[in-house]
Amino acid sequence: MCLKFYGELLEAQNQPVHSSVSWAAERHLLSALMWTPEIRHVASRKYAGQWREITGPAPVKMSKRRSAALTGAQGISLAQKLLRERLCHQKLPDQPVGLDSQYKHLLELLRRTAVHGESNSVLIVGPRGSGKTMLLGCVLRELMSLKEAQKNVLLVELNGLLQTDDKIALKEITRQLHLENVVGDKVFGSFAENLAFLLEALKKGDKSSSRPVLFVLDEFDLFAHHKNQTLLYNLLDVSQSAQTPVAVLGLTCRLDVLELLEKRVKSRFSHRQIHLFSSLSFAQYLDVVRAQLSLPPDFPDPKFSDEWNHSVTKLCEDKTVEEILRRNFNGSKDFRSLHSLLFLAVSRVSVSHSTLREADLIEAWRLISVDSKANVLHGLSILELCLIIAMKHLNDTYDGEPFNFQMVHNEFKKFIQRKSHSIHKFEKPVVMKAFEHLLQLELVRPVDSGVCKVQREYQLMRLMLEHGQVMEALQRYPQCPTDVKQWALSAFG
């Protein structure tokens, strides 16, 4: 259609407008076309003064505005993509924050193994998310930058969740050392013989020196549950001998990990432990937030980047935002929880507001700190909600003592008798079914865990909700009957 109209325009360059053609129809066609310079030229000659009426007062400026808006949207999309990748796929920092002494200690230990051929064993102990893997990654990156270590050092990484027994672990060691062809179909008498053969195969051509091997055992405590702890015994035994330079690094979150080791394994361990208990201050925490949200200097749009970084700096100085970050910091210094909070805030940025605002972080905090049990309450039926309120009243009356279904049902019956005009009367089996559903949702828990054989109606239970959670759920419950709310607010059932 466009090509046909384009041809008609070319033919009509020096002809007047045909009266048979409706001006409104032609105007509609013209406004629907994607204009090329040729069509603009022809149309301007054909329709003369009516061109401005068709396309508006400033066609060129309009296209500029459109491209500017598109650039803004592209800038936001690119910034979000970059920040999401940063928050989801964590890259190693240039230097571990707040772990300087641990970093230097571990680097010196591994450098002595890699450069001087000194065998070592060490445990890195700390809670989940404290930075054990990150610390080790930074140390290995620094170690591999040394010329002496680049071509010599071999790295073997094992995980207690994957290598669940010593046979699987040995196969993985063989694979990571690229010795499958060397082993072939050989049959070994013991684990120790097999490991000794692998390490012997790594010796250099002069048969006088071996390549240093770093064994990283993640979830170290799970390897202690292997039969006879054969893997740990042999690795630590090799690390005690002078034949092959080996470093055994264990990563664990259990403080009592040494108590899990057998006496013969414990005697071969060097008892070096590096504990990671973050000494991060709130000021350093704020600097990390600022660094995580800032765009890099090489961002394609410098103007957008400057505006974004300025808004981030301003955001971190806001009192409300600072209070949210302080609450998160006091709850956990784990950067994973921080990344979850920032990810939700960044996801709320759009074309309508192209920078991070205080409201984005407040909403992200509300979502991340939401009470899961209170959320479950929003999906309950009115009957189930009434049973929860009856249990709450029993807790208040008997000072938190356990209750049974019969007591809850009696409490509910009292309420029904008083408010029979507003609440439907339910038969006892229906109420029992609702009570069992609350048990499945784990909002109610049996006290004796089913050890005593008692009828279901008389089995003792405890409510797993606080008073505040119940009241908050009632306030947010959609179309909750007024009588039910008043019953919950009353001092006694």
Side-chain angles (χ1 to χ4, degrees):
M1 179 180 170
C2 291
L3 290 173
K4 182 181 177 184
F5 184 65
Y6 177 63
E8 288 176 2
L9 285 174
L10 289 174
E11 290 173 5
Q13 283 191 34
N14 296 310
Q15 296 174 18
V17 179
H18 296 289
S19 58
S20 60
V21 179
S22 165
W23 163 245
E26 290 188 354
R27 185 176 186 276
H28 177 72
L29 283 170
L30 283 168
S31 60
L33 286 172
M34 293 294 293
W35 294 92
T36 61
E38 292 83 1
I39 291 181
R40 282 200 196 97
H41 173 69
V42 174
S44 62
R45 292 188 60 182
K46 179 178 179 182
Y47 295 104
Q50 294 167 345
W51 167 263
R52 183 172 295 274
E53 183 186 342
I54 296 168
T55 58
V60 177
K61 286 183 181 177
M62 182 186 72
S63 65
K64 278 186 177 178
R65 282 199 301 272
R66 187 179 295 163
S67 64
L70 185 65
T71 305
Q74 284 178 338
I76 292 167
S77 178
L78 190 62
Q80 281 186 321
K81 183 183 176 184
L82 191 146
L83 292 174
R84 280 172 182 158
E85 284 179 356
R86 183 187 290 171
L87 294 170
C88 293
H89 311 291
Q90 280 298 298
K91 293 182 180 177
L92 290 175
D94 296 331
Q95 191 77 11
V97 181
L99 300 171
D100 296 337
S101 60
Q102 294 94 328
Y103 177 79
K104 289 175 182 175
H105 184 194
L106 186 59
L107 179 60
E108 180 58 26
L109 279 176
L110 296 188
R111 194 182 65 79
R112 291 208 297 257
T113 301
V115 178
H116 303 295
E118 178 186 314
S119 293
N120 282 303
S121 55
V122 62
L123 274 176
I124 304 173
V125 185
R128 296 198 185 279
S130 58
K132 299 185 291 295
T133 307
M134 179 269 294
L135 172 68
L136 181 60
C138 290
V139 168
L140 289 175
R141 181 183 60 191
E142 178 73 20
L143 186 71
M144 293 306 180
S145 65
L146 301 174
K147 288 183 180 179
E148 301 93 331
Q150 278 176 358
K151 295 180 181 178
N152 269 345
V153 174
L154 294 168
L155 181 65
V156 176
E157 295 178 293
L158 303 176
N159 192 304
L161 295 168
L162 300 176
Q163 283 76 49
T164 51
D165 63 47
D166 293 338
K167 190 176 180 181
I168 299 171
L170 197 58
K171 282 184 179 178
E172 184 62 18
I173 292 170
T174 307
R175 187 190 68 80
Q176 291 191 31
L177 293 176
H178 306 291
L179 295 174
E180 296 99 323
N181 295 334
V182 177
V183 174
D185 297 326
K186 287 186 175 66
V187 178
F188 299 97
S190 66
F191 184 95
E193 189 182 333
N194 195 337
L195 185 63
F197 177 80
L198 292 178
L199 297 173
E200 186 71 24
L202 295 172
K203 287 193 174 180
K204 294 180 180 177
D206 58 1
K207 300 288 183 184
S208 60
S209 60
S210 294
R211 296 177 67 179
V213 186
L214 307 182
F215 288 94
V216 178
L217 307 181
D218 206 352
E219 305 291 346
F220 182 84
D221 50 290
L222 297 181
F223 287 101
H225 296 299
H226 290 192
K227 187 181 178 182
N228 298 330
Q229 299 182 357
T230 311
L231 174 70
L232 295 180
Y233 172 76
N234 284 284
L235 286 179
L236 293 172
D237 189 49
V238 170
S239 72
Q240 289 292 311
S241 67
Q243 297 176 358
T244 309
V246 166
V248 180
L249 297 98
L251 282 74
T252 181
C253 57
R254 290 191 59 167
L255 292 170
D256 63 341
V257 65
L258 288 181
E259 303 303 317
L260 302 174
L261 300 179
E262 292 179 5
K263 189 177 179 181
R264 62 176 189 146
V265 178
K266 199 185 291 186
S267 66
R268 283 162 175 76
F269 176 56
S270 65
H271 289 264
R272 286 195 189 93
Q273 293 186 58
I274 298 175
H275 290 273
L276 301 191
F277 298 111
S278 181
S279 58
L280 193 71
S281 66
F282 183 66
Q284 290 174 315
Y285 190 78
L286 276 178
D287 291 339
V288 171
V289 172
R290 203 174 289 112
Q292 290 290 321
L293 290 177
S294 297
L295 294 176
D298 58 349
F299 192 76
D301 188 349
K303 186 181 177 184
F304 180 85
S305 176
D306 291 342
E307 288 176 2
W308 178 277
N309 291 343
H310 178 70
S311 74
V312 168
T313 306
K314 198 173 177 182
L315 187 74
C316 291
E317 293 169 356
D318 186 270
K319 294 295 179 186
T320 310
V321 171
E322 190 176 318
E323 181 60 30
I324 289 170
L325 292 173
R326 189 177 289 279
R327 265 191 249 164
N328 198 60
F329 174 76
N330 291 336
S332 170
K333 294 182 176 68
D334 177 7
F335 285 134
R336 290 174 191 167
S337 63
L338 173 64
H339 293 152
S340 300
L341 177 68
L342 299 182
F343 183 87
L344 289 172
V346 167
S347 299
R348 289 179 56 81
V349 177
S350 62
V351 179
S352 58
H353 61 279
S354 57
T355 54
L356 275 171
R357 303 173 304 169
E358 175 192 332
D360 297 330
L361 214 64
I362 291 171
E363 180 62 18
W365 171 254
R366 188 188 68 77
L367 289 171
I368 208 168
S369 60
V370 73
D371 189 344
S372 56
K373 284 187 178 176
N375 269 357
V376 171
L377 289 176
H378 298 160
L380 297 180
S381 65
I382 293 294
L383 171 58
E384 289 164 344
L385 201 61
C386 286
L387 293 182
I388 292 284
I389 295 169
M391 295 174 207
K392 180 186 85 71
H393 283 311
L394 287 170
N395 271 349
D396 294 342
T397 307
Y398 298 108
D399 198 22
E401 287 296 312
F403 52 83
N404 57 35
F405 169 73
Q406 194 61 47
M407 295 167 69
V408 175
H409 186 246
N410 291 340
E411 196 76 21
F412 176 62
K413 272 203 309 186
K414 289 180 195 174
F415 169 65
I416 292 294
Q417 286 166 2
R418 290 199 307 270
K419 305 290 183 182
S420 57
H421 61 281
S422 61
I423 303 295
H424 178 72
K425 289 185 178 179
F426 295 95
E427 297 295 328
K428 190 172 181 180
V430 177
V431 180
M432 185 67 187
K433 194 72 177 173
F435 187 81
E436 286 175 350
H437 184 230
L438 295 177
L439 191 59
Q440 287 175 351
L441 292 173
E442 297 183 1
L443 298 176
V444 183
R445 184 175 63 84
V447 174
D448 55 7
S449 304
V451 176
C452 302
K453 292 192 175 182
V454 184
Q455 286 184 349
R456 289 185 303 170
E457 290 88 343
Y458 302 104
Q459 191 176 4
L460 290 177
M461 300 282 179
R462 284 192 189 278
L463 181 64
M464 306 307 292
L465 293 165
E466 298 291 333
H467 180 275
Q469 290 175 314
V470 177
M471 300 313 295
E472 185 186 351
L474 277 170
Q475 294 302 320
R476 295 186 179 183
Y477 193 90
Q479 299 177 347
C480 182
T482 309
D483 289 336
V484 174
K485 283 186 179 179
Q486 287 176 350
W487 180 37
L489 289 167
S490 63
F492 297 99

